[in-house]
Each structure stands twice: as C-alpha cells, then as structure tokens.
C-alpha cells in the first residue's frame, strides 16, 4: 500500500495491528498484492518480475474483507509490468456487503471490464481495489488476510438446509456473525 516510491493509494491513513490491515478511505483505495518493479529499474525483492504468479494454478482469490457499506471490489493484473502496453487488466465487479465477510473469487471466470488478457498463464502484478468508488471518504476498510489458492473441487462441500426460514452458518468458533477480524 505504501512504500518509499509510492504514496498511500487512496487511503488517508493505514494501520497494521494484530495482523489486520486497516485504512481510512480518501478516494479510490487500492492495494498492490504483487507489484512489478519501476520501469527501467532492477527489481529487488518479491516483485512480480522475480516471483510471478502461475495463474493457471492459483486462480481463486480468497480473503477476509471488512467494508462499512454495500458496494463492490475490483481486481487488476498484468502479464508483463504495470507500465507496459496493454497495461492493467480490470476485472468485472465483485459485490461486497457491509461488515466482515470471507470472499472467494474465481479470477479465471470473473471476466474483464477493460483489457484482453484473462487470468491465465503468468501474471506479474495483482492489485485489489476493495472499495473503488463506492466507499465514502472517511470509511474504514479492513483486510484480515488475502490468499491466492488452487481450485480444488475435491475440497468443496455442499451445505443443505431442510428447515424453514433463514439460518446462520458459522465457520468459526465464536457464534457471532458480527465479530471483528
């Protein structure tokens, strides 16, 4: 989100506490999960040029994201660097709901608003816009964790409800749907 080279990207302040990222939205917040090096500069560290993503294998973006209002998130990626043509590919929107939720997004089937390079092959940058233009300034976005994982159908489970009315299903041990990250 912040480095010596780039200012805060759409956040007026950021904080890391207990492993959770929090940022106060100023405008179009975005987080580079994997970034390419500056054009013409030698990449140092865990940049996408040195550590690209195998998008054929790792296609599910999973995360625990907290947003204060209903809205959407976007993903951006590149095959080369973020400075090259055709540049950043922009995914279709993924609906988000107010509160803390766990999201699983199949990037390979998400589709693009802008660009022509689908999520496949090698990717050298990946950006998440957790609340692009739908979160009012001053709102707080929190990210507990983000992972790129394989699509493993053998690990999926169906949940069936045969009762009447709504039901809550908890995937943790505190039985509280409103628990903070």
């Amino acid at each position: 989100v912040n480095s010596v080279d780039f200012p805060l990207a759409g956040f007026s302040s950021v904080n890391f506490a207990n492993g959770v990222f929090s940022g106060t939205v100023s405008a179009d917040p975005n987080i580079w999960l994997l970034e390419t090096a500056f054009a013409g500069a030698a990449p140092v560290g865990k940049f996408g040029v040195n550590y690209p993503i195998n998008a054929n294998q790792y296609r599910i973006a999973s995360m625990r994201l907290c947003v204060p209002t209903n809205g959407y998130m976007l993903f951006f990626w590149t095959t080369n660097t973020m400075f090259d043509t055709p540049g950043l590919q922009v995914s279709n929107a993924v609906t988000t709901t107010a509160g803390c939720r766990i999201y699983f997004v199949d990037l390979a089937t998400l589709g693009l608003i802008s660009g022509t390079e689908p999520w496949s092959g090698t990717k050298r940058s990946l950006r998440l816009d957790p609340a692009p233009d739908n979160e009012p300034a001053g709102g707080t976005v929190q990210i507990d964790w983000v992972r790129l994982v394989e699509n493993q159908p053998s690990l999926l489970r169906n949940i069936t409800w045969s009762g009447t009315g709504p039901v809550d299903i908890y995937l943790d041990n505190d039985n509280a749907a409103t628990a903070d990250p």
Side-chain angles (χ1 to χ4, degrees):
V1 173
N2 194 14
S3 70
V4 215
D5 305 321
F6 288 108
L8 293 174
F11 293 102
S12 59
S13 64
V14 297
N15 182 41
F16 287 97
N18 301 317
V20 177
F21 165 86
S22 296
T24 304
V25 173
S26 57
D28 190 16
N30 63 82
I31 299 168
W32 287 91
L33 302 171
L34 181 64
E35 187 175 5
T36 57
F38 268 123
V44 177
K46 299 255 179 176
F47 284 99
V49 173
N50 293 340
Y51 295 89
I53 298 167
N54 177 348
N56 294 327
Q57 182 176 3
Y58 299 102
R59 58 185 273 179
I60 308 296
S62 60
M63 72 191 75
R64 185 158 193 265
L65 173 67
C66 306
V67 292
T69 59
N70 294 339
Y72 64 94
M73 65 178 144
L74 297 171
F75 291 90
F76 294 68
W77 59 77
T78 65
T79 298
N80 295 310
T81 75
M82 60 187 171
F83 304 101
D84 292 337
T85 305
L88 292 174
Q89 311 300 297
V90 184
S91 76
N92 283 321
V94 177
T95 301
T96 58
T97 55
C100 295
R101 307 278 185 265
I102 295 175
Y103 295 91
F104 294 95
V105 181
D106 188 346
L107 297 172
T109 61
L110 187 54
L112 297 169
I113 292 173
S114 173
T116 59
E117 298 175 5
W119 184 263
S120 63
T122 299
K123 300 300 174 215
R124 290 185 174 82
S125 67
L126 177 60
R127 181 177 111 185
L128 168 65
D129 285 23
D133 56 10
N134 50 275
E135 190 58 52
T140 299
V141 171
Q142 293 181 315
I143 300 174
D144 190 4
W145 49 266
V146 178
R147 293 179 182 88
L148 277 177
V149 297
E150 297 178 69
N151 183 14
Q152 296 182 358
S154 64
L155 298 177
L156 301 177
R157 302 293 181 261
N158 289 325
I159 298 173
T160 309
W161 173 246
S162 59
T164 58
V167 64
D168 292 326
I169 298 173
Y170 299 99
L171 298 176
D172 60 21
N173 59 4
D174 65 6
N175 294 331
T178 59
D180 291 328

